[in-house]
Amino acid sequence: MTRQQTAPRTAQAFTYVRDCYGRLHRVGETDRELPGPGGRRLVLWLAWGAMLGAGVLQYGFALTALPLNGARGTFAVLAVWTVCQAAAVPVAHLLRARRKAEPGGLVLLGGGCCAGALAIAAAVAESANPAGAGGSSALLVGYGLLGGTGAGLVYAGCTATAARWYPERAPAAVAFVTGGYAYGAVLPLLLLLVLGLHGSAVAPVLGGVAGLSLLAALGCGALLRDPPEHWWPAGIDPRQWTLDRHLNRSLRHNRPPLWEAEARPGAGSGTWRLLYATTALTSAALLFDLGRLAADLAAGPGTVGLWACAAFAAGSGLGRGAVGALAERFGRGTVLATALLLGALAQPGLVGAGPAAAVCCAALAGGGTGGCYPVLVGLLRGFYGRHGGQRAFALLYTAKAFGGAAGCALAAFVPGTGGTGTAAAVLLAAALAVRAARRPRPLLRLLPAAPAVTSTRTSSGS
């Protein structure tokens, strides 16, 4: 179904079309003709840059744990951070859905909170007794509450914006952007090799990262914009993209969505429960690994522990891109379950293995657990549609709060091989859950309303 209206030469006409499943697409405008920083590729890099600073708080947690000498209270800080970060994502999505916030505003606010949290962590690391009651309280409030909320706002703003600018390749775009979330911690961790593995070296590193995080939020957040609703890139026919397996190779092993969910997914759905369990279990293993590696490094500083922490972050960043690309080519459920199995196999090597084996296992564990999130974006879009999938992912992300808190508790109270064995079992259960998930059948086909006439866009905006 196509409606088109002749536009003046000074205006760019766009057309609303529906594909064979009834989904609405706005075609006719290139990404460079829309208001924004000048092309969707630049938007992708801006989102990636903004994520660099926010991800240091999670994947660079060893920077904060090192001056605390492995005190058990460090796991409470990581748990509070995880809960706040996971809770901020659906809140940010709700604000955007109700047009109360723009992606740039979320990134600016969240980046400022992240920079403040890193500055507080730097001040605690520089104090005479960072592991004291005052230092722990400051980290719980500053790093956990403030930093977790800020990281969640940045994460939600950047991932949703990337998915909207790349509607035909949303999982790949989200995988690239969230890769920056992990890469941001690699350089600060390796910088400690130059400055020395002791608590006094952590403060200047955290202070420098805080400044860079603030600059990234200001520079990238100020330019981030969303495309118009239902926008589809020019040059690609959405009707062919939905059906042609030669044009859209992901269709060979991934079914397209049959509907657009206008309401949130029901908690009573078996598919929803399985995916929620997958997210919670994977998050538990991810946060266990982060907490365990950070605590081991703090308890016995050494280059092997530092390399393992950096390898885990780098592996998570690389794994998101690799697992996301393979999932689109060979099937999302199959590839995600395989990645989780590889992450489970790597768990025993994190404790008691040789230096080289520990670093390799840390990288493999990071890739297996980190690759879960972008693949879930593709799964949810295939289950609930383009817009329903975004809503579903925001709700699904709350599972990280429960799983992450459980993973931190596991790292604090079950040391050694007992903890890694439990984490391996958890990842095996997550792999079984994702393999058991099936695309839900809609009880009622709900389609977005078509506009009465096709609009035109002038050079000043949509």
Side-chain angles (χ1 to χ4, degrees):
M1 173 175 139
T2 306
R3 297 188 188 89
Q4 191 166 10
Q5 177 178 311
T6 303
R9 291 187 178 182
T10 57
Q12 175 66 39
F14 59 82
T15 305
Y16 284 101
V17 300
R18 290 193 189 275
D19 58 26
C20 64
Y21 297 108
R23 291 188 298 268
L24 195 65
H25 306 278
R26 172 173 166 162
V27 299
E29 303 157 298
T30 67
D31 54 328
R32 293 185 178 274
E33 293 168 341
L34 296 172
R40 61 177 184 165
R41 182 173 296 181
L42 180 56
V43 171
L44 201 64
W45 281 105
L46 289 172
W48 185 86
M51 292 280 272
L52 288 175
V56 176
L57 291 158
Q58 175 172 301
Y59 287 94
F61 181 70
L63 294 172
T64 301
L66 186 61
L68 299 181
N69 298 320
R72 184 168 290 178
T74 59
F75 297 106
V77 174
L78 184 59
V80 171
W81 183 93
T82 303
V83 171
C84 293
Q85 190 255 355
V89 171
V91 173
H93 174 81
L94 182 62
L95 292 174
R96 294 189 68 177
R98 295 183 176 180
R99 302 187 183 280
K100 300 294 184 180
E102 296 294 329
L106 293 175
V107 171
L108 288 172
L109 177 60
C113 292
C114 291
L118 290 168
I120 291 172
V124 172
E126 199 173 13
S127 64
N129 184 21
S136 298
S137 300
L139 288 176
L140 280 172
V141 176
Y143 195 97
L145 180 61
L146 182 66
T149 302
L153 295 177
V154 174
Y155 189 98
C158 292
T159 54
T161 299
R164 293 182 182 186
W165 278 103
Y166 284 84
E168 82 284 16
R169 289 185 287 131
V174 172
F176 176 80
V177 169
T178 56
Y181 200 65
Y183 291 138
V186 176
L187 183 59
L189 287 169
L190 296 183
L191 188 59
L192 287 179
L193 289 173
V194 179
L195 298 179
L197 290 171
H198 48 81
S200 61
V202 174
V205 173
L206 286 172
V209 173
L212 292 176
S213 177
L214 183 60
L215 290 176
L218 294 175
C220 299
L223 298 176
L224 279 183
R225 297 289 187 276
D226 275 338
E229 191 75 9
H230 305 297
W231 176 79
W232 187 268
I236 303 175
D237 189 337
R239 294 162 293 189
Q240 291 184 3
W241 186 263
T242 305
L243 297 173
D244 192 341
R245 295 187 178 186
H246 297 284
L247 179 63
N248 182 3
R249 294 185 177 181
S250 68
L251 293 177
R252 298 177 182 179
H253 297 283
N254 298 293
R255 294 182 180 181
L258 299 178
W259 63 316
E260 279 288 344
E262 295 297 322
R264 64 181 183 180
S269 166
T271 298
W272 178 255
R273 289 197 297 267
L274 287 170
L275 292 179
Y276 202 88
T278 298
T279 307
L281 293 171
T282 305
S283 299
L286 171 64
L287 271 297
F288 166 80
D289 290 342
L290 281 171
R292 187 74 269 156
L293 289 172
D296 291 344
L297 175 64
T303 56
V304 174
L306 188 59
W307 279 108
C309 291
F312 187 88
S316 181
L318 292 171
R320 290 167 192 259
V323 173
L326 292 173
E328 295 304 298
R329 184 66 63 91
F330 300 107
R332 296 167 187 140
T334 301
V335 172
L336 177 54
T338 303
L340 293 173
L341 287 175
L342 292 176
L345 293 175
Q347 294 299 317
L350 296 178
V351 177
V359 173
C360 291
C361 288
L364 187 60
T369 55
C372 167
Y373 299 101
V375 180
L376 283 172
V377 171
L379 278 174
L380 292 171
R381 288 172 74 91
F383 289 165
Y384 300 106
R386 178 172 160 188
H387 298 282
Q390 288 187 4
R391 185 184 303 107
F393 182 74
L395 292 172
L396 192 72
Y397 205 81
T398 59
K400 183 179 179 180
F402 303 104
C408 292
L410 180 66
F413 297 104
V414 187
T417 56
T420 55
T422 304
V426 162
L427 288 175
L428 289 175
L432 293 175
V434 76
R435 289 301 295 158
R438 295 292 182 268
R439 182 169 55 170
R441 295 180 180 179
L443 297 178
L444 178 64
R445 187 180 180 87
L446 297 174
L447 300 175
V453 295
T454 301
S455 304
T456 60
R457 183 186 69 81
T458 64
S459 58
S460 61
S462 305

